[in-house]
Amino acid sequence: MTEQELVKKLQQADQLAFKHLVDKYQDKVQNTCWGFVKSSTEAEDLTQEVFIEIYESIHAFKFESKLGTYIYRVAVNKSLDYIRKQKSQKRWGVILSILSWSENKELPSMPDWEHPGVTLENKERASILMSKVEELPDNQRVAFTLHKIEGLSYQEIAEVMQVSLASVESLIFRAKQNLKKKLQGYYQQGI
């Protein structure tokens, strides 16, 4: 089945076509979400949300990009929205606890994690690297994650992020420079 045939069937609410879509893209979507949220449970939930959104919005797909690019874009946007929502909730929780409005609930701590695509032998170093990636500005983090962890080409990243190829090159260059600065002290200590 060609991509166009698949999209047409999805637009007609064909259940077998949707199952085919999920089977084909589920692992990629889940890994993409995991790359941003660092939790397998949250990545699974976001993956479901991504496919629900695709199912509900596929009628608007106009073949201006590849279906895979569209799916990555939805996954990235869902992940970033989730992160923004979490940050907002944490800020609000801090404010409430400062003002003694909370019921002494502890804020959730950052779970220990390792992205399955990370091949570094030393878990501590991988964790430190990924924590520094989390500190990058959103656009740099998205471009860097899609390229270095998900293995997308610059052109594919440009399509997913809806920016120019030059912008992707610049974002990844700046991400590398920022990471170099952030990790410089760690490596100078000889850890």
Side-chain angles (χ1 to χ4, degrees):
M1 173 179 337
T2 68
E3 187 172 285
Q4 285 190 334
E5 291 171 338
L6 177 60
V7 171
K8 294 290 183 196
K9 288 185 177 188
L10 289 169
Q11 290 173 337
Q12 297 167 357
D14 184 308
Q15 295 298 318
L16 288 176
F18 185 70
K19 182 183 180 331
H20 177 74
L21 177 83
V22 171
D23 290 344
K24 184 174 181 179
Y25 289 101
Q26 182 173 7
D27 290 342
K28 290 178 183 177
V29 169
Q30 190 164 350
N31 282 339
T32 299
C33 293
W34 195 347
F36 289 99
V37 300
K38 313 303 184 276
S39 162
S40 59
T41 304
E42 300 305 325
E44 288 172 9
D45 291 346
L46 285 170
T47 299
Q48 289 178 2
E49 290 180 30
V50 167
F51 284 109
I52 290 169
E53 181 170 326
I54 290 167
Y55 185 79
E56 292 174 347
S57 66
I58 195 70
H59 64 279
F61 186 75
K62 297 180 179 140
F63 298 98
E64 294 171 353
S65 64
K66 292 181 180 178
L67 181 60
T69 301
Y70 173 68
I71 292 169
Y72 267 114
R73 188 176 315 130
V74 173
V76 168
N77 288 338
K78 283 280 184 199
S79 298
L80 291 176
D81 287 347
Y82 174 82
I83 291 168
R84 285 184 201 108
K85 183 178 176 185
Q86 291 299 108
K87 285 181 181 178
S88 174
Q89 288 176 347
K90 284 182 183 178
R91 278 191 296 264
W92 186 245
V94 169
I95 291 169
L96 288 177
S97 66
I98 290 171
L99 298 175
S100 300
W101 288 351
S102 71
E103 299 172 5
N104 295 327
K105 294 180 183 175
E106 281 187 41
L107 293 175
S109 61
M110 181 89 163
D112 292 335
W113 57 269
E114 183 176 335
H115 187 282
V118 176
T119 58
L120 298 173
E121 291 180 21
N122 188 321
K123 288 183 180 182
E124 181 182 340
R125 288 183 180 189
S127 180
I128 289 169
L129 171 63
M130 294 308 290
S131 71
K132 297 303 179 189
V133 168
E134 285 300 306
E135 294 174 11
L136 293 172
D138 283 349
N139 281 346
Q140 289 179 24
R141 185 175 73 234
V142 169
F144 185 84
T145 301
L146 290 176
H147 181 63
K148 295 296 183 185
I149 297 175
E150 297 301 322
L152 269 62
S153 70
Y154 283 16
Q155 183 60 47
E156 291 170 319
I157 295 167
E159 292 172 9
V160 168
M161 295 181 70
Q162 296 180 319
V163 297
S164 69
L165 189 59
S167 293
V168 171
E169 292 169 352
S170 175
L171 288 168
I172 291 176
F173 176 79
R174 288 188 312 222
K176 288 178 183 178
Q177 294 300 93
N178 284 335
L179 287 172
K180 191 175 184 180
K181 288 177 191 172
K182 290 174 184 293
L183 293 169
Q184 187 174 13
Y186 173 76
Y187 285 106
Q188 284 179 343
Q189 293 173 0
I191 296 175

